[in-house]
Amino acid sequence: MVDDSAYPTVPLHPHTVPAHEAEARSRTFHEVMASRRTVRDFSSRPIPQGVVEWAIRTAATAPSGANVQPWRFVVLTDPERKRALREAAEAEEREFYERRASEEWLAALAPIGTDWHKLFLEDAPAVIVVFEVHKGPESPRPYYTKESVGIAVGLLLASLHQAGLATLTHTPSPMRFLNDVCDRPPEERASYVIPVGYPAEGARVPDIHRKDLDQVVVRL
């Protein structure tokens, strides 16, 4: 049994919302987030100073297994670094689209309109590469790593969208080349590549639809 006296606690200061406002606030948040779309055509318009940093601060509030907080957010803005990222990612993606992907997988991707060309990795003003931090010389063993990092990325995307920025979640496979591009040690493993910026003028997105609530919720 854990001795509670051995570990300090502090008073909880909850974020309180009047009960009569709760549904309206939830609906408002949904309406904002329902407008979020994955964007592949980015403008060169600069990102307002501080927005990415605040979004990462928000992401880092996510719950994590044993509170280890096993994430690292690498923000790439240097053109040469982004070019290196694109070249390495396109090499892996070309192999995927031309050799590794099954016909079923390619058919599922067809309505999205993706291929091995990844211009957005250079066009977006910033690219956030998210790493899982595993046990290493200066990092403890993490628990529920993928789950923890996934929750953090969800908060990151929501925060950036709330600030009016567009994003894309790119997951090239394999990802080990990202350690070299981002100068990260081997105990860090890349899990998401997220271009961030404003949509290009006239940008278009696939005509896709989200499932209705009754298709995704089970009430017992």
Side-chain angles (χ1 to χ4, degrees):
M1 181 177 294
V2 176
D3 179 6
D4 292 343
S5 65
Y7 301 96
T9 63
V10 295
L12 173 67
H13 300 288
H15 172 64
T16 57
V17 175
H20 67 277
E21 295 181 14
E23 183 179 355
R25 291 199 189 189
S26 183
R27 185 188 308 116
T28 298
F29 183 75
H30 165 263
E31 289 169 354
V32 172
M33 293 309 300
S35 68
R36 190 202 62 79
R37 291 297 305 271
T38 292
V39 169
R40 290 179 172 80
D41 299 307
F42 287 88
S43 165
S44 59
R45 177 183 170 190
I47 296 172
Q49 187 173 1
V51 172
V52 169
E53 287 74 15
W54 279 112
I56 292 173
R57 285 187 177 97
T58 298
T61 68
S64 62
N67 194 39
V68 173
Q69 304 169 55
W71 41 64
R72 188 85 68 227
F73 302 88
V74 178
V75 183
L76 303 181
T77 57
D78 175 68
E80 292 300 321
R81 191 81 68 160
K82 290 192 296 177
R83 183 174 297 112
L85 168 59
R86 176 189 169 188
E87 290 173 355
E90 285 186 336
E92 294 293 351
E93 290 291 281
R94 187 167 189 167
E95 182 71 16
F96 168 80
Y97 279 93
E98 294 183 354
R99 294 180 180 83
R100 293 202 305 264
S102 67
E103 290 300 320
E104 181 180 21
W105 197 340
L106 293 175
L109 290 171
I112 310 299
T114 60
D115 58 25
W116 64 267
H117 297 90
K118 305 300 176 186
L119 279 68
F120 48 75
L121 294 175
E122 277 195 80
D123 293 343
V127 179
I128 304 173
V129 183
V130 185
F131 287 82
E132 302 171 0
V133 182
H134 292 263
K135 183 175 176 57
E138 298 181 10
S139 55
R141 176 186 173 185
Y143 303 90
Y144 300 103
T145 312
K146 291 188 181 299
E147 295 85 346
S148 302
V149 173
I151 296 170
V153 168
L155 290 178
L156 178 68
L157 297 179
S159 181
L160 292 168
H161 183 68
Q162 290 282 327
L165 295 175
T167 57
L168 176 144
T169 47
H170 177 49
T171 52
S173 178
M175 293 194 187
R176 272 300 178 187
F177 69 88
L178 287 163
N179 288 71
D180 291 333
V181 172
C182 299
D183 294 334
R184 302 312 305 161
E187 65 268 20
E188 298 187 14
R189 304 174 191 172
S191 56
Y192 298 87
V193 178
I194 305 174
V196 182
Y198 291 100
E201 186 175 352
R204 298 178 67 85
V205 294
D207 183 15
I208 58 176
H209 304 278
R210 295 180 175 93
K211 293 180 179 179
D212 293 332
L213 181 64
D214 286 343
Q215 294 178 281
V216 298
V217 67
V218 175
R219 300 178 179 86
L220 299 176

